[in-house]
Amino acid sequence: MAGLPEIALDATAEVAARETTAGMTLRAARRLVVKIGSRLLVDDRSGTIRRDWLNGLADDVALCRRRGQEVVLVSSGAIACGREHLGLVGRSLRLEEKQAAAATGQLRLAHAYQNALARHDLTVAQVLLTQDDTEARRRHLNARATIDTLVKLGAVPVINENDTVATNEIRFGDNDRLAARVAQMISADTLVLLSDIDGLYTADPRRDPTARLVPQVHDLSSEIEAMAGEAPAGYSSGGMVTKVIAARIAMGAGCRMVITKGDRRSPLAGLDLPPEQGGAPCTWFLAEAEPRTARKRWIAGHLSVNGVVVVDNGALAALQRGKSLLPAGVVRVDGVFQRGDPVAVHALDGRHVARGLTAYGSDDARRIMGCRSRDIEAMLGFQGRDELIHRDDLVMDTV
Ligand code: GLU
């Protein structure tokens, strides 16, 4: 389906985003993802969870929540915590041993988060993801909706890779990348990587006394990538290379990212002030767009669509007012598509008016077209989404 018209992007949102990112403090965040590395959380030698540190982090999370910020945690540490309990110490582990260690460690990790956050009456929800859950469109929509719902209900999702089932080929392997994918998926505006290093240095600071901390990065030039590439293995948990990969994913999704050393009592509170005013040393990777614009761009970027839904004039007017597309306004469904696929929206006169990601496959969409949302269950035998295309997943074409 060639010849799609240009997409309208929200320029005012871009300007607002640039103004907030200019602040470079955590206070500007509305929805933040915090990645916690294994070494911060689990004592290297004993495999025990560092509860004092975790309590400090939980205090910070509670503070963010009190000031209205939504917080999602991506935590490593399952393998580090579980291996000791299975007697898997003193040597490198095979994949299946790591998976076994994760199976027991994840349980302890979840309990530790539950206890630490319960001190502030915060409910924890565990979400284990594989690469496909963040990348395959259908599963991406599911995981996004679940995490969104948890956050709206006031819970703090604690996310890790589903290490026990993920095989080598489908593994993230490092939680820097997982955290960036999660940030992208849930349209977070800020990603914090709590690390064992202050940020990105011009060279390895342990070897080169002239190495300087880079306070902010606007675009990931080859020079920046070279700085990350110089870091030797073991220099930080995922290495600086995976952090720069994470930055690329986050920045492309309109999410700014910050790296800071996590090994202090209140690692997030340290990001409330810029370093020159007493805040913690760190590197900010700034994003140009805001998440909503970036997500719409991503949807707009689907060159081909798998089907067409034709809508009546009432639905068209609603879409133009920024509403979602409900099944009631659909008069025809063309093509074969799956839930999560990109589809075009046409007006009755055949004009191309929008495109978006559909919440129903074509068979179900045909069954529920023209129906009120409350009748969906009766038509399909299950209670699906109210919207055929949610407004967050819809981009209007310019006319
Ligand atoms: N998912 C792994 C774990 O929880 C950690 C991956 C990483 O360290 O980045 O043990």
Side-chain angles (χ1 to χ4, degrees):
M1 305 209 181
L4 299 180
E6 258 186 48
I7 299 299
L9 289 170
D10 189 349
T12 49
E14 297 258 3
V15 174
R18 244 177 273 130
E19 278 161 12
T20 42
T21 50
M24 290 202 299
T25 75
L26 208 60
R27 284 175 185 277
R30 287 185 296 262
R31 173 173 280 194
L32 72 142
V33 173
V34 182
K35 184 256 171 175
I36 298 121
S38 294
R39 285 188 207 175
L40 293 171
L41 194 60
V42 182
D43 183 82
D44 257 0
R45 275 157 307 152
S46 62
T48 51
I49 293 174
R50 298 173 64 209
R51 294 191 189 263
D52 283 349
W53 183 85
L54 184 55
N55 284 343
L57 177 80
D59 297 349
D60 276 8
V61 170
L63 175 77
C64 292
R65 290 295 310 265
R66 278 201 302 278
R67 56 190 190 198
Q69 297 170 305
E70 297 173 337
V71 187
V72 171
L73 304 178
V74 173
S75 182
S76 307
I79 298 170
C81 168
R83 59 186 297 166
E84 172 78 19
H85 294 277
L86 293 178
L88 296 168
V89 283
R91 63 182 172 85
S92 54
L93 304 185
R94 297 195 307 271
L95 177 63
E96 60 273 25
E97 289 173 328
K98 285 188 190 162
Q99 295 184 304
T104 174
Q106 184 61 37
L107 200 63
R108 291 167 203 274
L109 218 59
H111 274 292
Y113 276 101
Q114 194 172 38
N115 292 338
L117 285 156
R119 293 161 46 253
H120 296 281
D121 287 329
L122 288 171
T123 299
V124 168
Q126 173 176 274
V127 180
L128 300 178
L129 296 175
T130 55
Q131 189 151 278
D132 250 18
D133 299 324
T134 64
E135 284 172 9
R137 272 192 298 262
R138 190 171 63 82
R139 288 164 70 167
H140 171 112
L141 284 190
N142 288 346
R144 174 182 164 88
T146 307
I147 298 169
D148 235 27
T149 305
L150 285 168
V151 168
K152 299 237 155 67
L153 292 172
V156 178
V158 176
I159 301 176
N160 197 357
E161 180 157 16
N162 195 351
D163 290 309
T164 50
V165 297
T167 59
N168 257 343
E169 308 79 67
I170 59 155
R171 261 187 119 215
F172 276 104
D174 70 89
N175 275 8
D176 294 328
R177 223 151 35 99
L178 171 65
R181 285 278 176 226
V182 167
Q184 173 190 47
M185 186 169 72
I186 63 167
S187 303
D189 52 77
T190 309
L191 167 62
V192 180
L193 300 186
L194 294 181
S195 169
D196 57 359
I197 185 156
D198 285 327
L200 178 70
Y201 279 86
T202 51
D204 181 349
R206 295 172 311 170
R207 287 166 203 201
D208 185 346
T210 66
R212 282 177 301 104
L213 180 68
V214 181
Q216 51 177 281
V217 174
H218 288 273
D219 69 301
L220 292 170
S221 59
S222 47
E223 201 189 345
I224 297 290
E225 302 213 314
M227 287 176 196
E230 279 165 22
Y235 178 53
S236 69
S237 47
M240 200 44 79
V241 178
T242 61
K243 291 183 173 44
V244 170
I245 295 172
R248 185 175 294 291
I249 297 169
M251 288 161 84
C255 175
R256 59 193 188 143
M257 183 182 108
V258 58
I259 304 175
T260 192
K261 196 182 250 169
D263 208 1
R264 34 175 86 87
R265 170 80 199 172
S266 285
L268 296 181
L271 295 170
D272 266 352
L273 287 175
E276 60 279 11
Q277 289 169 34
C282 59
T283 302
W284 282 97
F285 295 78
L286 299 174
E288 246 182 56
E290 55 119 36
R292 200 173 150 268
T293 314
R295 183 170 169 80
K296 298 236 165 182
R297 235 182 235 165
W298 174 69
I299 293 167
H302 290 300
L303 289 180
S304 60
V305 289
N306 298 7
V308 175
V309 291
V310 181
V311 301
D312 64 22
N313 291 336
L316 178 58
L319 296 185
Q320 280 158 344
R321 290 198 308 275
K323 304 275 189 213
S324 299
L325 176 61
L326 301 178
V330 176
V331 297
R332 211 177 73 222
V333 174
D334 294 335
V336 177
F337 50 85
Q338 310 292 320
R339 174 170 148 65
D341 278 349
V343 294
V345 179
H346 286 184
L348 286 174
D349 60 8
R351 247 180 327 128
H352 205 297
V353 290
R355 79 188 91 176
L357 305 181
T358 169
Y360 290 91
S362 46
D363 288 346
D364 286 346
R366 274 187 202 101
R367 271 183 219 125
I368 60 174
M369 67 184 190
C371 291
R372 287 164 309 179
S373 297
R374 61 172 178 273
D375 297 332
I376 290 177
E377 188 168 9
M379 297 302 295
L380 300 182
F382 64 89
Q383 177 66 59
R385 302 267 148 80
D386 284 352
E387 309 85 10
L388 186 69
I389 305 177
H390 190 277
R391 62 195 158 104
D392 288 351
D393 297 327
L394 187 92
V395 185
M396 298 301 289
D397 294 348
T398 41
V399 270

